[in-house]
Structures are given as structure tokens and as C-alpha cells.
């Protein structure tokens, strides 16, 4: 499908969503239950020009990128060692499975007993995204071309030669795929953590207070802005990854 056609279809989908939203708001006739698109969009415009909004936004983004960087580092290390050593892979299999199966809310509630409100979103986000990175990297090692490894053994490649010339290039596409999956989840988990832990400066805290004060238009305005910024940041990351993929010829 051509790019301009995709754009037109996406715009049509957006228009249908807004019209459906307006129709539902007219039927319900309650700004508390469902504010109209115009009231929400006007609130969004006001928020954008407020320094308070950007302050909350940057604190939330700091938590997102901090947790994401920690998860990439730890998940990458666990994934590499698990991919190289079956014992380590089996050792981490159960902990990672437990983390994957545990609801996010349950982890946040437990973390409330252990940590300060500012660090809870980071801690929970690291826990939830680390298994994605670790599993993807491990799978990359498991799917390395066995014929290439046999050839490397035949020509007496050292461990580091095999690692950097054969295994690492094969793992990078899996690592990149994990980055895309983990970042979207990290963004959601951080805000969920903020809503429950209520740090002093955070988008999640504003959302929680707006809900308590029954300011549904403010909740929707913040939610839509979060979605927009999430799309923009993920698009930027995807753009950078594609450029790097072309430059270094990654199969991504």
C-alpha cells in the first residue's frame, strides 16, 4: 500500500473516532461522564502553554528513559550470558517467568512498602521491561546460524572472534525488536506507577488528582497528550533504528 494512501486512511480513521466521540457526548449529555471533543481539545491547548504541564511531563520522561536505560543494560547482560550459557539461561528462566506473570498493579502496591514515591515508577518499569529485553537477546543467541559457528570452530576462531563477528551481529536485530516492545511498555508502566505512588511532580499524579476532583476533561486532555507524545517518541526511536539498520546492514 502506498504511503499517501496509508496517511489518508489513518486521517479518515481519526475523523471517524472524533465524530463518534462527539455523537456519544451529545447522547450522554454529561460533561462529567464524557466531555465533548471541543472542551477536551481546548483544555489540551491551555495545558501546552502552561509551564506546570511541561514540568510534570519532563519529570515523567526522565523516569521513563531512566528505567528504560536500566532495563536495557541489565536485560542485555542477562540475555547475553543466558544465550552463551545454558545453566544461566535455566537459572533466570523462573524469575523472568514470575515477573512476566505478575500484574503490574500488584508490583506497584508491594513497592509502595519498600521505596519512595519518586523511585517506584522506575523500579516497576525496570521489572516489567527487563524480561522483554533479556528474552529477545537470549533468543537471538539461540537462533545464530549453526553452520557459521561450525565453520568458526573449523578455522579455530577464538571466543571473542566468534562473539563479535558471528553471534553479536545475529543478536542485534532481536535486541532492536526488544527495544521497540520495551519502550512502549515502559511509558505505560511509569505512568501507572505514578498514578498509584503519587510523586510530587508527575503526569500520573496530575491524572490521579484530576480524577479525584471529577475533572474528566482534564483526565482526557492529559491522556490524549500522553498518547501523542508516546507516538512521537516511538516514531523517533524507530527512525533512528532504521537509519542505524541501513548503515550497519542489520536484518531488521
Amino acid at each position: 500500500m502506498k504511503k499517501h494512501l496509508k496517511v489518508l486512511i489513518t486521517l479518515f480513521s481519526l475523523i471517524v473516532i472524533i465524530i463518534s466521540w462527539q455523537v456519544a457526548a451529545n447522547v450522554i449529555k454529561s460533561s462529567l461522564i464524557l466531555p465533548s471533543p471541543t472542551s477536551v481539545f481546548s483544555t489540551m491547548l491551555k495545558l501546552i502553554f502552561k509551564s506546570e504541564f511541561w514540568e510534570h511531563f519532563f519529570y515523567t520522561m526522565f523516569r521513563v528513559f531512566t528505567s528504560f536505560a536500566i532495563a536495557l543494560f541489565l536485560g542485555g547482560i542477562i540475555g547475553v550470558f543466558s544465550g552463551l550459557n545454558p545453566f544461566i539461561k535455566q537459572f533466570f528462566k523462573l524469575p523472568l517467568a514470575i515477573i512476566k506473570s505478575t500484574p503490574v498493579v500488584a508490583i506497584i502496591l508491594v513497592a509502595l512498602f519498600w521505596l519512595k514515591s519518586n523511585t517506584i515508577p522506575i523500579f516497576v518499569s525496570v521489572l516489567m521491561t527487563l524480561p522483554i529485553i533479556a528474552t529477545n537477546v537470549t533468543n537471538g543467541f539461540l537462533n545464530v546460524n549453526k553452520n557459521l559457528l561450525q565453520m568458526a570452530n573449523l578455522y579455530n576462531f577464538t571466543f571473542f572472534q566468534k562473539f563479535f563477528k558471528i553471534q553479536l551481529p545475529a543478536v542485534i536485530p532481536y535486541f532492536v525488536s526488544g527495544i521497540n516492545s520495551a519502550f512502549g511498555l515502559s511509558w505505560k508502566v511509569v505512568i501507572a506507577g505514578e498514578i498509584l505512588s503519587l510523586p510530587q511532580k508527575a503526569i500520573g499524579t496530575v491524572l490521579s488528582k484530576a480524577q479525584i476532583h471529577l475533572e474528566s476533561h482534564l483526565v482526557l486532555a492529559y491522556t490524549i497528550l500522553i498518547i501523542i507524545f508516546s507516538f512521537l517518541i516511538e516514531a523517533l526511536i524507530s527512525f533512528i533504528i532504521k537509519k542505524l539498520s541501513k548503515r550497519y546492514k542489520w536484518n531488521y
Side-chain angles (χ1 to χ4, degrees):
M1 189 180 291
K2 295 181 179 179
K3 285 186 178 180
H4 70 275
L5 183 58
K6 288 182 179 180
V7 172
L8 288 174
I9 294 172
T10 302
L11 286 174
F12 178 69
S13 175
L14 179 61
I15 292 169
V16 170
I17 290 171
I18 294 173
I19 292 173
S20 302
W21 177 5
Q22 182 63 60
V23 170
N26 290 338
V27 171
I28 294 172
K29 294 180 180 179
S30 173
S31 59
L32 177 63
I33 297 173
L34 184 63
S36 66
T38 52
S39 66
V40 173
F41 292 147
S42 64
T43 303
M44 287 169 58
L45 288 174
K46 291 176 184 176
L47 287 173
I48 290 172
F49 291 102
K50 285 185 177 180
S51 59
E52 184 183 5
F53 164 77
W54 291 108
E55 190 176 11
H56 288 298
F57 173 77
F58 284 118
Y59 270 93
T60 295
M61 284 308 305
F62 172 77
R63 295 186 184 99
V64 171
F65 280 107
T66 301
S67 61
F68 186 59
I70 295 171
L72 283 183
F73 178 72
L74 295 178
I77 290 175
I78 292 172
V80 168
F81 283 103
S82 297
L84 294 174
N85 190 302
F87 173 81
I88 296 176
K89 178 178 177 290
Q90 188 62 36
F91 177 82
F92 280 106
K93 186 176 181 179
L94 180 60
L96 293 178
I98 291 172
I99 294 171
K100 284 181 182 179
S101 303
T102 306
V104 178
V105 176
I107 295 177
I108 296 171
L109 292 175
V110 173
L112 286 169
F113 293 104
W114 301 341
L115 305 169
K116 294 181 180 179
S117 59
N118 284 326
T119 55
I120 288 172
I122 296 173
F123 170 75
V124 176
S125 179
V126 170
L127 274 186
M128 299 309 297
T129 53
L130 185 148
I132 297 173
I133 301 296
T135 302
N136 274 40
V137 173
T138 302
N139 288 339
F141 277 98
L142 296 177
N143 286 284
V144 173
N145 191 318
K146 299 297 187 295
N147 292 329
L148 289 177
L149 291 176
Q150 289 176 0
M151 181 193 71
N153 292 328
L154 185 65
Y155 286 97
N156 296 318
F157 276 33
T158 64
F159 169 80
F160 290 104
Q161 284 177 322
K162 284 193 292 185
F163 181 79
F164 287 105
K165 293 183 180 295
I166 297 174
Q167 292 174 312
L168 191 59
V171 169
I172 285 175
Y174 290 86
F175 181 64
V176 169
S177 177
I179 288 175
N180 280 338
S181 302
F183 184 79
L185 180 61
S186 179
W187 179 263
K188 298 180 184 73
V189 172
V190 164
I191 292 178
E194 290 175 345
I195 290 173
L196 291 178
S197 62
L198 301 176
Q200 189 173 2
K201 296 187 184 298
I203 289 178
T205 302
V206 176
L207 283 171
S208 180
K209 289 180 179 178
Q211 191 273 333
I212 292 171
H213 294 125
L214 303 178
E215 296 175 307
S216 53
H217 65 287
L218 190 58
V219 173
L220 282 173
Y222 264 100
T223 302
I224 293 172
L225 286 172
I226 290 167
I227 293 169
I228 292 171
F229 283 117
S230 178
F231 278 151
L232 290 175
I233 295 168
E234 288 185 39
L236 177 61
I237 291 174
S238 295
F239 175 78
I240 293 171
I241 289 172
K242 285 179 182 177
K243 287 292 182 182
L244 291 173
S245 299
K246 288 180 181 179
R247 182 174 180 179
Y248 295 105
K249 297 180 180 179
W250 299 337
N251 296 318
Y252 172 70

